Amino acid sequence: MSQKFLMVGAGLSGAVIGRLLAEAGHTVQVVDGRSHVGGNCHTERDAKTGVMVHVYGPHIFHTDDAEVWEYVNRYETFLPYKNRVKTTSRGAVYSLPVNLHTINQFFGQTLRPDEAKVFLEGQADTTIAEPANFEEQALRFVGRDLYEAFFKGYTLKQWGCDPTELPASILKRLPVRFNYDDNYFFHKFQGMPENGYTAMIARILDHPGISVTLEKTVSREIAGEYDHVFYSGPIDGWFDYRLGRLGYRTLDFDRFEYDGDYQGCAVMNYGDVDVPFTRITEHKHFSPWESHQGSVLYREFSRECGPDDIPYYPIRQVAEKSLLADYVALAEGETNVSFVGRLGTYRYLDMDVTIREALDAGRRFLGCLQDGAKAPTFFVQPL
Ligand code: FAD
Ligand code: UDP
């Protein structure tokens, strides 16, 4: 029997789950407080320069998940894109992630791969057996000089705290390579949507069973009007922040234009702590198959998220996790609501992981409907 479902949020989570439910014959209402679909992946073509702008910060699609890659290619053409990041530190430009070029340039060497491995082991603090935090992880794997040039200042600016207070796992995402491969990611599939992410997500939502309402922010009371609600907003927001607010970092984008090519690459990081921004992104380089004279750039500043700011990066330190546990307990008391996506589960999720989790959640939910079982409040545990 056809049921009526509400998706709160027209980002990837709401769109992918909504599509699965609509294809199974159900009626799906999608609402979003913003004036566009796409959530934080939203892209918009700048009227003046023609550049495709990643409005809430740059998004590069990369995955090892063949089904997710096939899924996104069903709704949009993905063109080849390799993320090659540079960093400026103490007046010089280096290649990231740390690779043989970075090591040779930074230390004024001409090392071959095996020699570089031995050399870097000499830089590393091998007394650290089990790195307990971000700083120890860096000292153990790249040594103090590279850490201080590329990671210490950047991380202080990005997270607003000393790297010794951050988990080692944040740095584990970045590889160290002993060859000249400067691809920032090591996933099998990588690319950029030809017409932007918003076009792709609009196509996922384009189904006769789905209706989309924009510029409408909903609250908890609405749940009674639907058979089930999938909520991809902030978990604390659903409960009107009654236990307090979960901590996030937010970003300020100082947008500026340039006539020509400003920096010659999409992403230039700034490792020095006395440069107040973390990076500059030049959006036309995210679409290397296009050609534009004008350029749109973002200087990116990170700071603590206030009540009126957009929550970007969940902090997930001990205090936040304890508050999260209280919200999870409240959420488990809801009868017909599932919390999904990066804000609903208070986790940093790349787009491919978001899609994978949404596909799994939608399928499991349909299984529950078939079996007459209660749907899980969380398809993936937030803690
Ligand atoms: P969102 O995109 O946040 O969508 C949630 C939607 O819900 C929002 O549109 C919001 O307006 C709406 N909403 C919330 N509450 C309500 C309410 N009460 N009523 C109505 N609407 C509501 N991933 C990558 O794979 N590659 C990258 O390069 C990459 N770069 C990133 C850079 C930054 C700065 C950030 C923060 C994330 C990045 N990501 C990247 C991750 C990517 O943004 C997420 O995977 C994706 O946005 C998650 O989709 P979502 O639908 O869960 O959440
Ligand atoms: N990082 C750094 N210097 C850099 C790039 C990254 O110190 O030039 C650190 C920083 O703490 C960041 C983490 O490594 O949060 C992970 O990097 P990534 O590029 O994955 O950052 P994100 O996509 O989370 O902004």
Side-chain angles (χ1 to χ4, degrees), residues 169-198:
S169 58
I170 296 182
L171 189 62
K172 280 184 192 151
R173 296 210 290 256
L174 297 183
V176 175
R177 299 216 184 91
F178 296 99
N179 57 31
Y180 290 97
D181 180 2
D182 61 352
N183 187 351
Y184 202 68
F185 302 114
F186 37 5
H187 286 124
K188 195 149 94 192
F189 309 107
Q190 199 174 152
M192 279 288 183
E194 184 173 13
N195 301 295
Y197 293 101
T198 300

Side-chain angles (χ1 to χ4, degrees), residues 219-257:
S219 50
R220 199 167 161 255
E221 298 73 56
I222 204 167
E225 297 171 27
Y226 293 87
D227 291 306
H228 199 83
V229 176
F230 291 84
Y231 176 74
S232 69
I235 181 169
D236 49 354
W238 182 252
F239 298 103
D240 217 10
Y241 307 100
R242 73 170 83 144
L243 306 176
R245 281 178 180 271
L246 288 165
Y248 279 94
R249 299 292 288 173
T250 191
L251 300 173
D252 294 318
F253 299 115
D254 170 26
R255 183 188 189 281
F256 65 103
E257 290 181 13

Side-chain angles (χ1 to χ4, degrees), residues 13 21 48 61 76 120 154 208 353 355 366:
S13 299
L21 303 187
K48 188 172 153 201
F61 199 91
E76 175 60 27
L120 210 60
Y154 188 99
V353 180
I355 295 171
L366 288 170

Side-chain angles (χ1 to χ4, degrees), residues 9 12-13 32-33 39-40 58-60 218 312 341-342 349-351 354:
L12 277 175
S13 299
D32 202 299
N40 269 12
H59 278 68
I60 297 118
V218 297
Y312 281 107
R342 60 175 207 101
L349 298 181
D350 272 330
M351 290 181 280
T354 304

Side-chain angles (χ1 to χ4, degrees), residues 87 96 134 150-152 154-155 158-159 166 170-171 173-174 184 269 279 313 348:
T87 185
L96 280 185
F134 184 103
F150 300 150
F151 300 110
K152 191 175 180 179
Y154 188 99
T155 298
Q158 171 85 351
W159 294 99
L166 291 167
I170 296 182
L171 189 62
R173 296 210 290 256
L174 297 183
Y184 202 68
N269 289 355
R279 58 183 181 173
Y313 295 100
Y348 179 85

